[in-house]
Amino acid sequence: MDRDTYAKSFAKRRDGEWAEMFRWVPGMYRAAASRLEKLERQAERQFPGVFDRLEQARDTAGDAIPTWCWLPVAQVQQVLADHYSHRTTRAPGATGAGLAAMAAGDAATLQVLGAWRSAGRHMVNIHDRSIAELEKAGDRMPADLPQRWPLHSLYVVSEAPNGALGAFLLLEWNEREQRAELRIALDVTPTAALDRISVQPLHLEGGTVTEAARRTVLSFQAGVDTVLGTETLPDISPGSPVDEAARKVAERHAFWVAAVDWLASDRPTTVDATFLTGADSTAEWPPAGAQDTGRAPVLWLAGPAS
């Protein structure tokens, strides 16, 4: 089914066609689709034509970057520097280092949104029972994600009092350090805002989420030292600032690491949400046509294996 027809499956006038236990689904779809469209519009207003330029950069990069990474954030920064140097986020009185940090933030959020668009605008809702299991998943960091991640980016969506909230999940190839990262971008503010998306990188190494977070914190400090021309000898002993920062990062994002691991496995049962309307034919997971970047997002429901 084409994207226009797909979106009409969730139109308000069709709410009565959904079984009572699933009537929350079309409302969540509409709220999430509207939220994500606002984010895309905000990006295009601040950086006109940026997604076309980023896709061109991805085509130019070709085999120089891994297939599982849409476009490394460093290359997104370069596109911004070449074409949008006066449109990056600024704050009154910010120093050169502060402006550089804000430009890096712009690049991170554009990478998140661009990868999601390029992958075909796919949203996944995780069943409550599976969420409960993932919350108890522990501290393991799945370093093999690049070999099995299904799309450049997914948006995990949940019903919320104001409609829908979510998180973008994607993989990054860090060109400077020649390693893979998981990126978790939380989109949870009451009103959709590009500059309020919180992007957390995590090294795909270390065996545990806590160790991956520690290595990420140390890498960030090294990057700050490079920008400022300083040299820091970090204290990594238990209870140190590095240790505490890593612990907080791990605690906040362990669920998302478990969710990525689960979604990239054969454990969930994942179906196209239009199946619940009695549609005769539904798409199969993982999407075979990731290049289909039609406007309307596709919603998948993921739950325990049947």
Side-chain angles (χ1 to χ4, degrees):
M1 115 181 17
D2 64 46
R3 288 299 179 87
D4 287 339
T5 303
Y6 187 92
K8 289 174 183 176
S9 299
F10 301 91
K12 256 188 177 180
R13 61 181 174 76
R14 299 194 62 179
D15 282 0
E17 299 175 24
W18 293 74
E20 187 173 352
M21 67 182 296
F22 295 120
R23 285 189 183 163
W24 56 273
V25 172
M28 183 190 70
Y29 176 90
R30 292 191 295 266
S34 174
R35 183 181 186 91
L36 291 159
E37 185 178 12
K38 285 177 184 175
L39 292 174
E40 291 190 60
R41 286 203 307 265
Q42 289 173 20
E44 285 283 7
R45 279 200 301 269
Q46 186 172 357
F47 306 102
V50 69
F51 292 117
D52 288 339
R53 284 196 166 105
L54 292 175
E55 288 292 353
Q56 290 169 9
R58 179 66 181 88
D59 291 342
T60 300
D63 295 336
I65 57 177
T67 57
W68 44 260
C69 174
W70 173 62
L71 187 66
V73 72
Q75 295 198 32
V76 179
Q77 283 185 267
Q78 190 59 56
V79 169
L80 292 185
D82 290 345
H83 301 283
Y84 303 97
S85 59
H86 299 298
R87 287 181 172 269
T88 51
T89 302
R90 295 171 182 273
T95 63
L99 292 173
M102 284 184 274
D106 288 337
T109 51
L110 286 172
Q111 180 201 39
V112 161
L113 199 53
W116 178 74
R117 285 167 47 104
S118 185
R121 295 185 174 92
H122 291 279
M123 305 189 296
V124 177
N125 174 259
I126 301 175
H127 192 280
D128 289 348
R129 200 163 79 206
S130 296
I131 286 177
E133 291 299 317
L134 294 172
E135 286 173 340
K136 299 182 291 185
D139 196 35
R140 189 178 74 87
M141 171 55 75
D144 64 337
L145 273 174
Q147 285 74 55
R148 52 192 178 88
W149 186 233
L151 293 168
H152 281 142
S153 176
L154 291 174
Y155 186 82
V156 177
V157 61
S158 299
E159 190 182 21
N162 64 335
L165 301 173
F168 296 92
L169 304 174
L170 65 156
L171 299 182
E172 147 82 352
W173 174 243
N174 187 310
E175 293 182 298
R176 180 171 62 86
E177 299 182 22
Q178 293 289 290
R179 55 165 175 73
E181 292 177 354
L182 168 64
R183 294 205 158 204
I184 301 162
L186 301 181
D187 174 34
V188 295
T189 54
T191 302
L194 198 66
D195 62 356
R196 298 296 300 279
I197 292 176
S198 170
V199 183
Q200 175 64 57
L202 279 172
H203 290 199
L204 280 176
E205 55 188 29
T208 67
V209 180
T210 302
E211 179 57 28
R214 183 177 291 107
R215 296 187 187 194
T216 304
V217 170
L218 290 171
S219 176
F220 176 79
Q221 181 60 59
V224 171
D225 284 344
T226 298
V227 170
L228 298 180
T230 56
E231 186 173 349
T232 302
L233 184 62
D235 177 4
I236 59 174
S237 61
S240 67
V242 168
D243 185 64
E244 285 298 303
R247 182 182 58 79
K248 289 178 181 177
V249 168
E251 286 179 355
R252 188 179 186 196
H253 296 92
F255 167 81
W256 294 109
V257 174
V260 169
D261 186 24
W262 183 72
L263 288 167
S265 73
D266 59 2
R267 286 177 283 156
T269 297
T270 308
V271 298
D272 178 350
T274 59
F275 172 77
L276 301 177
T277 66
D280 291 334
S281 61
T282 59
E284 294 185 359
W285 180 265
Q291 73 280 0
D292 177 9
T293 56
R295 190 75 186 174
V298 174
L299 174 62
W300 302 85
L301 303 179
S306 54

